[in-house]
């Protein structure tokens, strides 16, 4: 595979990529949250500053402009995944998006999850009272869709799978998952948190019913994400939080509700963050998600090759993964590794990655995880490997 030595985006665009002392920071934790480019920071700053006003209710020009900016942002975010703006609900993040669906979906029955789900695609279903079934994964870390096919019954009203695993980087065959769900009359939610920043996503081509993701993993701000849903599904769902902005008419005798998506957006929304979310979508779209995917796949291949050459390293997940590598080194706890790497200005994630059932399936309590972004390059991989070699000498 041809090595890509340069990052896809200029590191200088990302003020977060230097240490306080001004040294390059080898940030390998983009799957947790991505650093923001200056254009996103500027968009946030303008929206919070010179352009700021409330949305939807103001009678003055600034508010009308901000409302246009907010609704344009909805269109931009929806378009990134091939959806319509009328089908995109702004939420606090993917976690809130999945909670919204788990609570509001009118036909609560059995939901089929998988062993590799993030806690935010497990706990909401439990809390909302669904019967949870668990599809196994294959030994190389893919959701086992043959097993899913065998497990699905007409009692299942929902299938909720990660589009890309936040621990293993494994990519779901999402079209097949949609077909399998629909064959028994269930709907498919994809948790797209790790997919949207790493590959082109087209909800119409996939044929899924719902799609959840967060802005902060896509080089945008925290505090905002989205639930996309097919119009007929959203229309059938009752509101889940009450308040301003989600109503049609309110009286003590009877309250009626606005159509989707406003019906699901009670209260003053994250106005500034929505504008930043859209700026982040524009940023990745300009680079191109195909190019981003190829870039990260290349870095994953480099990292897996270097790690695989060490005979005391266990690699998890499939060869072909989207920007994420999980591994363990014999005799070195991932937390110790992470601490020593930090001294080398290399930031990795160590722990259960909010996927304790997956850790149990892998027979471990934690892994070390390196995850890449558009600003990552082979210097980051080299720094990781140098740091691991130093750690081994320390523990040697
Ligand atoms: N699902 C996956 C696959 C994730 O990686 C994450 C974040 N780690 C989430 C859901 C939750 O996202 P958020 O915390 O932004 O709501």
């Amino acid at each position: 595979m041809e090595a890509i030595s340069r990052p896809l985006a200029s590191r200088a665009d990302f003020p977060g990529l230097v240490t306080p002392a001004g040294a390059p920071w080898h940030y390998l934790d983009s799957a947790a949250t991505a650093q923001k480019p200056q254009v996103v920071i500027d968009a946030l700053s303008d929206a919070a500053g010179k352009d700021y006003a409330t949305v939807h209710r103001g009678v003055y020009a600034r508010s009308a402009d901000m409302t246009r900016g907010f609704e344009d942002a909805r269109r931009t975010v929806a378009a990134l995944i091939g959806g319509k703006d009328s089908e995109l609900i702004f939420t606090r993040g993917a976690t809130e998006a999945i909670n919204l669906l788990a609570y509001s979906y009118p036909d609560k029955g059995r939901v089929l999850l998988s062993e590799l789900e993030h806690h935010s695609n497990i706990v909401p279903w439990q809390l909302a009272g669904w019967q949870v079934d668990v599809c196994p994964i294959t030994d190389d870390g893919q959701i086992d869709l043959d097993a899913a096919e065998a497990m699905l019954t007409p009692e299942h009203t929902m299938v909720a799978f990660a589009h890309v695993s936040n621990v293993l980087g494994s990519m779901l065959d999402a079209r097949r998952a949609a077909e399998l769900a629909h064959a028994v009359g269930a709907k498919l939610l994809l948790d797209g948190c790790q997919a949207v920043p790493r590959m082109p996503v087209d909800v119409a081509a996939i044929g899924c019913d719902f799609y959840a993701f967060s802005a902060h993993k896509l080089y945008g701000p925290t505090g905002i994400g989205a639930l996309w849903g097919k119009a007929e599904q959203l229309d059938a769902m009752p509101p889940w939080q009450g308040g301003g902005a989600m109503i049609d008419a309110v009286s003590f005798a009877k309250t009626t509700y606005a159509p989707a998506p406003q019906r699901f957006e009670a209260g003053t929304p994250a106005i500034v963050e929505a504008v930043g979310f859209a700026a982040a979508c524009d940023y990745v779209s300009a680079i191109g998600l195909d190019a981003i995917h190829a870039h990260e796949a290349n870095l994953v291949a480099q990292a897996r090759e270097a790690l695989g050459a060490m005979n005391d390293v266990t690699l998890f997940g499939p060869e072909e993964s989207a920007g994420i590598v999980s591994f363990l080194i014999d005799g070195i706890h991932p937390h110790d590794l992470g601490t020593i790497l930090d001294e080398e200005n290399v930031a990795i994630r160590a722990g259960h990655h909010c996927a304790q059932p997956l850790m149990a399936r892998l027979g471990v309590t934690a892994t070390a995880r390196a995850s890449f972004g558009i600003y990552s390059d082979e210097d980051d991989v080299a720094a990781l490997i140098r740091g691991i070699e130093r750690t081994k000498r320390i523990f040697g």
Side-chain angles (χ1 to χ4, degrees):
M1 179 171 296
E2 185 198 337
I4 295 177
S5 56
R6 295 161 58 79
L8 261 190
S10 165
R11 285 179 62 95
D13 278 355
F14 294 83
L17 286 179
V18 286
T19 68
W25 195 34
H26 299 289
Y27 183 68
L28 297 176
D29 200 16
S30 295
T33 197
Q35 297 293 328
K36 290 178 249 311
Q38 191 61 49
V39 283
V40 168
I41 297 169
D42 290 345
L44 289 166
S45 167
D46 286 350
K50 69 179 181 59
D51 299 336
Y52 188 67
T54 194
V55 292
H56 295 147
R57 284 180 287 268
V59 291
Y60 42 89
R62 175 83 75 85
S63 174
D65 289 347
M66 197 80 228
T67 302
R68 248 190 316 278
F70 181 76
E71 292 303 329
D72 284 351
R74 192 192 301 280
R75 197 165 311 116
T76 301
V77 173
L80 185 77
I81 59 162
K84 289 193 211 115
D85 54 347
S86 56
E87 299 178 328
L88 189 114
I89 303 164
F90 281 128
T91 61
R92 270 197 315 117
T95 301
E96 190 177 73
I98 299 171
N99 275 275
L100 190 169
L101 183 63
Y103 278 95
S104 271
Y105 193 69
D107 192 9
K108 291 193 188 63
R110 300 189 85 88
V111 59
L112 183 66
L113 308 177
S114 87
E115 280 179 318
L116 59 64
E117 299 309 315
H118 189 281
H119 296 165
S120 60
N121 194 26
I122 300 174
V123 185
W125 304 103
Q126 295 173 325
L127 283 174
W130 290 69
Q131 295 289 314
V132 172
D133 292 318
V134 185
C135 176
I137 58 169
T138 59
D139 286 339
D140 73 344
Q142 311 271 7
I143 298 175
D144 185 344
L145 291 182
D146 292 337
E149 184 168 19
M151 290 177 78
L152 280 167
T153 69
E155 272 180 52
H156 288 99
T157 53
M158 189 71 67
V159 175
F161 286 162
H163 198 179
V164 167
S165 160
N166 66 309
V167 179
L168 306 171
S170 40
M171 294 172 275
L172 177 72
D173 178 350
R175 288 172 78 143
R176 181 165 176 223
E179 282 164 19
L180 296 180
H182 295 159
V184 295
K187 305 297 176 204
L188 176 67
L189 162 74
L190 293 175
D191 171 357
C193 254
Q194 300 295 344
V196 168
R198 310 207 137 74
M199 55 201 249
V201 172
D202 182 343
V203 288
I206 292 170
C208 59
D209 303 279
F210 299 99
Y211 202 93
F213 58 115
S214 289
H216 70 99
K217 295 183 195 279
L218 183 73
Y219 313 96
T222 50
I224 193 163
L227 177 69
W228 171 87
K230 278 187 185 157
E232 69 265 28
Q233 299 302 327
L234 298 185
D235 287 345
M237 281 164 51
W240 80 306
Q241 290 179 343
M246 50 75 72
I247 52 89
D248 170 32
V250 177
S251 75
F252 285 110
K254 182 175 165 59
T255 291
T256 53
Y257 308 114
Q262 279 73 27
R263 181 159 72 245
F264 302 102
E265 295 180 358
T268 304
I271 303 166
V272 173
E273 290 76 7
V275 172
F277 196 174
C281 293
D282 287 341
Y283 187 81
V284 292
S285 297
I287 293 173
L289 278 142
D290 278 317
I292 294 172
H293 186 68
H295 175 70
E296 294 189 12
N298 226 321
L299 292 170
V300 164
Q302 289 179 28
R304 288 186 75 96
E305 192 180 332
L307 290 166
M310 301 178 181
N311 56 15
D312 50 359
V313 168
T314 306
L315 278 165
F316 299 98
E319 287 290 318
E320 304 255 305
S321 84
I324 296 171
V325 183
S326 259
F327 60 97
L328 274 180
I329 305 172
D330 294 348
I332 304 178
H333 192 279
H335 283 157
D336 292 329
L337 176 65
T339 305
I340 295 170
L341 288 177
D342 189 35
E343 293 169 9
E344 308 276 320
N345 295 333
V346 176
I348 61 155
R349 183 74 179 268
H352 56 60
H353 315 291
C354 300
Q356 287 179 353
L358 175 58
M359 296 296 111
R361 163 66 174 83
L362 299 175
V364 301
T365 53
T367 72
R369 180 187 74 183
S371 54
F372 301 106
I374 47 184
Y375 36 65
S376 308
D377 61 13
E378 64 184 20
D379 286 349
D380 296 321
V381 178
L384 172 69
I385 300 302
R386 263 197 321 276
I388 289 174
E389 279 160 357
R390 180 173 162 244
T391 311
K392 288 204 236 175
R393 284 196 298 278
I394 293 171
F395 277 78

